[in-house]
Amino acid sequence: MESSIFAIFLWLASTTILTQANTIPHQHSILLKNIEVLDGEGKYILGWEISGDEIIFEIEAETLGWVGFGISPQGGMTGADIFIGGVLSDGSPYSQDRFGIGRMEPRLDVHEDWRLLEAMELPSMGKTILKFSRLLNTCDDEDYPIGNDTSRLIWAMGAADVIQYHGIDRRGTKSTNLIHAELPELDLDKLTRYILMADVEMPSVHTSYRCTFHKGPELTEKQHVVGFSAVLPSVEALQHTHHANLYNCFVPADSGLTPDEVFGNYTIDTGFAGGDCYDYDTTLPIWYCMTGSFYVWAKGGKTLVFPENVGYPIGEQAGTHQHEAAVITLGHEVDVSLLVPPNISDYKVVGHCGAECTQHWPEGGINIFNSLLHSHLSGRKIKARHFRGTEELPWIDFDGHYDFDYQQNKALLSHVNIQPGDHITVECDYDSTWKNGEIVLGGLGTREEMCEAIVWYYPRMDTYDLCASSYETDAHIREFGVTQYRTEVTPMLAKYIIEAPPSLEGDFQSSISYKFNWTQEFLTEFTQKRRYGIQRGSCMKRGGDNSLEFDVSYPADFVEYVPDDGCQV
Ligand SMILES: *[C@@H]1O[C@H](CO)[C@@H](O)[C@H](O)[C@H]1NC(C)=O
Ligand SMILES: *[C@@H]1O[C@H](CO)[C@@H](O)[C@H](O)[C@H]1NC(C)=O
Ligand SMILES: *[C@@H]1O[C@H](CO)[C@@H](O)[C@H](O)[C@H]1NC(C)=O
Ligand SMILES: *[C@@H]1O[C@H](CO)[C@@H](O)[C@H](O)[C@H]1NC(C)=O
């Protein structure tokens, strides 16, 4: 059994003025603004800075041989834009622009787009330092345009200056956001840090959801959370923790119970270590907690700092306030109608948040300042689109290189104002080929799928925290020719069992994967209907009682937003 410690830090402030030292625990001489240790050990350190339409990189690598760096569409060599450089023993620098063509020596690119600025060897330390630059978008088909989304970096070092695929000494990949918003600085001295910590023994199952209860800080007056960060202080914790949701639990006054009566026997500090959230017979008081998910951390996520003058209120029941923030989940419902057909490398699922919901949002709209795009192992791209009338506005957020292991609570470069009556669509692209002929269904496990944008915004609304849609379940199941089925309630999500026709009898996932004949004709119609057909929209506060339901699909005849990539002539 492995044990995994997980801690969430909350920073509380009564005022929201905020510094944070970006401490990198490795010695290096790079002066650029952003630093990442690509190998995790400090033998390959990358710095970068954006300057106009250019990006400048500096690498400090522990080798006297060649140093390779690349940006890859999927994290492998194929299609990667690669820079290789070094310093020969006579002191002369060299560099090359290459293009990855699989697991072999990358070939030379036809254009030289990378520019070597400086190259230096420190023989006494066994290090090579390279400084080089590239246009963010070179408009060369063989170069990867660097955008605001995830960049999958690849790196390698050779033991000598002879560039050979087989001469690779060390290599690896790491995802990062090369272009990102500046986080407001947090002055930790002026803030209170509050730590929630759970030490969990890993059960030997593929996916499990652990619920632990933590007594909040005792506050005599309203305070605001202005930042969060998650700490996974062991290799096991890092390996096995996929995501965490922090909920704000509260006991309604009319229950006649006090919080101590409800939670007293279940908090971590009483020695109770928590339990399975989805256990049928659970006695855990989770029902008092389902309404207010207020922090989501997922693999790869970093510190979340709120914009200046915005905070999440605790210590008092809050109404709508100009400077108070909250979270809303947008996208596709997690259910059986979220279905990715077998053997497809680019299948799009869409979920809508329609005007029927947003028209009830506050006058003046809400301002989104942070976004977490969320799907699981089959997810490849996610985009949160924004429509006003028939016009599509710039995307709220997008990731064309989604990496399940690098999910970010990402501060948006500019806050996005959503007006009452606007429409939001979350689109997720999936690849099901890795399942060898099995369909992928909506679900909470990492091999199942979700399609969500979980966004922070202000001013907070107390009325809605979910605005999503899905294809009507019964129609969805019957379109496969199913005439009779039953539903089994499971601790996680409902399971569907096909009873007739006999040719499809059995578990829905398995029958639709292996017994159903996915003809091209069916696939074409299915794809069209799920993408553009009418869905059931719903808009609610989880655990609340004012939910709205309505029909929804894309706004009619909208004019698509096309970002300017600066390459048109
Ligand atoms: C990044 O996003 C900003 C703000 O939305 C936009 O102005 C800019 O063009 C984007 N840059 C790239 C390279 O996509
Ligand atoms: C807490 O545990 C004590 C001791 O087992 C028990 O008497 C009490 O009823 C429990 N309280 C609640 C609210 O479950
Ligand atoms: C999917 O691919 C697998 C393995 O490549 C193959 O056996 C199966 O027949 C394919 N299924 C469909 C529905 O195309
Ligand atoms: C699936 O349908 C196609 C087209 O109707 C047919 O040619 C094929 O034989 C069917 N495959 C199976 C396994 O029934």
Side-chain angles (χ1 to χ4, degrees):
M1 282 288 153
E2 284 170 340
S3 147
S4 160
I5 298 176
F6 186 91
I8 290 177
F9 293 163
L10 279 88
W11 285 299
L12 302 183
S14 354
T15 52
T16 48
I17 325 281
L18 326 175
T19 83
Q20 185 186 226
N22 187 8
T23 47
I24 301 286
H26 296 281
Q27 292 279 323
H28 66 84
S29 60
I30 300 174
L31 295 175
L32 300 180
K33 219 180 219 166
N34 308 282
I35 309 268
E36 286 268 3
V37 179
L38 297 197
D39 66 330
E41 289 173 28
K43 296 193 168 141
Y44 193 115
I45 300 178
L46 174 77
W48 75 93
E49 211 166 283
I50 313 286
S51 167
D53 55 2
E54 261 195 347
I55 182 162
I56 298 164
F57 292 104
E58 185 166 346
I59 292 169
E60 189 174 304
E62 218 172 280
T63 181
L64 296 177
W66 58 264
V67 175
F69 173 75
I71 308 175
S72 145
Q74 299 282 346
M77 293 274 281
T78 309
D81 183 16
I82 297 168
F83 176 82
I84 298 177
V87 180
L88 297 174
S89 47
D90 67 1
S92 51
Y94 61 91
S95 72
Q96 293 175 348
D97 186 351
R98 293 194 174 225
F99 181 72
I101 43 174
R103 291 188 146 240
M104 55 179 83
E105 190 176 317
R107 67 169 163 75
L108 288 172
D109 194 341
V110 273
H111 308 269
E112 287 270 329
D113 292 306
W114 300 90
R115 208 152 51 89
L116 181 67
L117 305 172
E118 273 174 51
M120 186 164 67
E121 242 172 33
L122 304 170
S124 62
M125 299 172 80
K127 284 187 175 177
T128 299
I129 295 174
L130 297 178
K131 194 164 177 182
F132 50 98
S133 70
R134 210 202 78 170
L135 287 171
L136 288 169
N137 191 354
T138 62
C139 302
D140 173 357
D141 286 346
E142 295 202 337
D143 289 335
Y144 174 106
I146 297 170
N148 293 328
D149 58 341
T150 303
S151 287
R152 291 177 168 233
L153 308 180
I154 57 177
W155 60 271
M157 297 189 262
D161 285 313
V162 189
I163 302 166
Q164 277 182 323
Y165 182 72
H166 295 288
I168 293 181
D169 196 21
R170 301 193 55 187
R171 66 152 150 221
T173 65
K174 186 169 175 94
S175 288
T176 197
N177 265 77
L178 291 172
I179 306 179
H180 52 75
E182 302 285 327
L183 290 181
E185 306 230 307
L186 275 184
D187 182 355
L188 298 180
D189 293 343
K190 294 209 176 92
L191 303 173
T192 311
R193 190 170 72 159
Y194 188 77
I195 303 176
L196 309 176
M197 176 126 62
D199 188 354
V200 174
E201 199 165 278
M202 293 287 165
S204 52
V205 292
H206 184 264
T207 304
S208 79
Y209 279 74
R210 184 80 175 182
C211 281
T212 57
F213 296 84
H214 306 258
K215 193 167 180 175
E218 293 201 25
L219 302 173
T220 49
E221 56 175 10
K222 177 142 100 180
Q223 300 221 356
H224 293 90
V225 178
V226 295
F228 292 96
S229 98
V231 176
L232 292 149
S234 72
V235 175
E236 292 76 25
L238 271 170
Q239 246 171 15
H240 299 294
T241 314
H242 163 237
H243 76 262
N245 280 20
L246 185 61
Y247 292 93
N248 199 351
C249 306
F250 90 105
V251 180
D254 62 10
S255 67
L257 294 167
T258 66
D260 276 340
E261 283 169 334
V262 173
F263 299 111
N265 288 350
Y266 296 100
T267 57
I268 286 276
D269 46 82
T270 63
F272 181 78
D276 186 336
C277 308
Y278 292 94
D279 178 359
Y280 274 128
D281 306 318
T282 191
T283 52
L284 300 180
I286 50 179
W287 307 114
Y288 296 97
C289 307
M290 298 315 276
T291 53
S293 169
F294 78 119
Y295 176 56
V296 181
W297 172 89
K299 244 181 183 343
K302 299 205 172 99
T303 302
L304 188 168
V305 177
F306 286 17
E308 258 181 80
N309 300 319
V310 175
Y312 176 87
I314 56 173
E316 182 185 291
Q317 277 307 111
T320 301
H321 297 294
Q322 211 44 42
H323 298 296
E324 294 190 342
V327 180
I328 188 165
T329 300
L330 310 164
H332 196 286
E333 301 266 7
V334 184
D335 65 19
V336 70
S337 82
L338 195 172
L339 187 157
V340 185
N343 295 351
I344 293 197
S345 59
D346 56 346
Y347 182 81
K348 209 183 280 301
V349 165
V350 306
H352 303 284
C353 173
E356 291 82 352
C357 179
T358 64
Q359 68 186 347
H360 301 288
W361 292 8
E363 198 186 328
I366 62 166
N367 303 292
I368 300 178
F369 61 89
N370 193 288
S371 145
L372 175 102
L373 300 175
H374 182 65
S375 70
H376 294 160
L377 292 171
S378 305
R380 294 294 176 270
K381 297 179 183 182
I382 307 182
K383 190 188 286 177
R385 303 175 68 174
H386 179 198
F387 303 89
R388 182 165 298 156
T390 58
E391 187 191 1
E392 180 177 13
L393 302 174
W395 307 322
I396 297 168
D397 191 13
F398 77 101
D399 198 337
H401 309 92
Y402 181 77
D403 180 353
F404 171 73
D405 289 324
Y406 183 72
Q407 301 184 38
Q408 295 283 301
N409 256 300
K410 186 166 62 175
L412 298 182
L413 289 164
S414 46
H415 298 184
V416 179
N417 180 256
I418 310 290
Q419 288 285 322
D422 285 1
H423 177 114
I424 299 165
T425 300
V426 181
E427 298 182 347
C428 298
D429 287 25
Y430 298 102
D431 180 347
S432 66
T433 55
W434 67 284
K435 297 204 68 178
N436 295 319
E438 200 180 26
I439 59 167
V440 179
L441 285 184
L444 304 174
T446 55
R447 292 160 206 230
E448 301 167 311
E449 273 306 331
M450 294 174 73
C451 176
E452 292 179 345
I454 302 161
V455 299
W456 276 96
Y457 69 90
Y458 64 89
R460 63 180 284 130
M461 323 178 251
D462 285 326
T463 35
Y464 305 107
D465 67 5
L466 175 74
C467 185
S469 72
S470 70
Y471 200 80
E472 206 273 308
T473 310
D474 183 63
H476 168 72
I477 292 173
R478 290 182 190 279
E479 280 172 22
F480 290 96
V482 172
T483 50
Q484 200 182 324
Y485 65 93
R486 64 171 201 277
T487 311
E488 265 177 19
V489 183
T490 80
M492 291 213 185
L493 287 177
K495 211 172 161 69
Y496 294 86
I497 314 290
I498 301 175
E499 294 178 325
S503 62
L504 292 178
E505 212 176 299
D507 171 64
F508 181 82
Q509 173 149 20
S510 156
S511 289
I512 298 306
S513 301
Y514 302 116
K515 295 180 178 169
F516 182 74
N517 188 351
W518 282 90
T519 62
Q520 192 55 49
E521 200 185 354
F522 179 87
L523 178 61
T524 307
E525 192 184 331
F526 178 86
T527 305
Q528 181 74 13
K529 274 191 169 165
R530 295 301 177 281
R531 176 95 197 266
Y532 299 105
I534 302 284
Q535 299 192 8
R536 212 59 210 127
S538 74
C539 172
M540 63 169 105
K541 182 168 176 88
R542 281 166 282 200
D545 49 13
N546 59 337
S547 73
L548 301 171
E549 291 219 341
F550 46 89
D551 286 350
V552 67
S553 63
Y554 283 100
D557 305 318
F558 68 83
V559 181
E560 190 180 339
Y561 164 73
V562 182
D564 177 10
D565 65 1
C567 291
Q568 288 90 345
V569 273

